[in-house]
Amino acid sequence: MAGNKISLADWQAKMNPAATTTAVKNDPNLVYSTDSGKISAKPTAKPQPEAFADGAVRIRRETKGRGGKAVLTISGIARPHDELVLLAAKLKKKCACGGAVKEGVIEIQGDKRELVEQLLQAEGFKTKWAGG
């Protein structure tokens, strides 16, 4: 029985001869392969946010799924991701709070709707409050 031992790679090749190492290299979830070493990740494009038809930026207060904590979400700004990050940084600094940019939506921690609305209007945006 000792002479019948084969490696895992050989066994997988016998079980599925159509699978090749190129298929493994193209797997987006693969980080490291013993065959070729570290797999470099391909850069993914950030989604381009879309503006609303009326051209207004929506400021919405959300608490659902956030442990009861209030978060302002600002959507409808059709700008590249890098510009959204800079705008979010400016808002966070003026509001003295945290936040992030996720999928084209700026999130600001806390309920500072009036201040955020004034800052966005000073930047030249038309704003509307959405939700409750």
Side-chain angles (χ1 to χ4, degrees), residues 40-86:
S40 61
K42 295 176 184 157
T44 58
K46 300 286 183 185
Q48 180 69 22
E50 294 183 15
F52 292 104
D54 61 356
V57 173
R58 303 292 199 274
I59 303 171
R60 173 184 214 112
R61 180 180 175 268
E62 295 181 2
T63 57
K64 190 171 186 175
R66 301 176 190 276
K69 309 237 175 172
V71 174
L72 293 181
T73 59
I74 303 163
S75 58
I77 302 175
R79 301 250 174 111
H81 182 76
D82 297 337
E83 289 183 29
L84 289 179
V85 171
L86 292 174

Side-chain angles (χ1 to χ4, degrees), residues 86-98:
L86 292 174
L87 179 61
K90 195 180 294 186
L91 291 173
K92 292 187 304 185
K93 190 177 281 191
K94 295 283 186 176
C95 294
C97 63

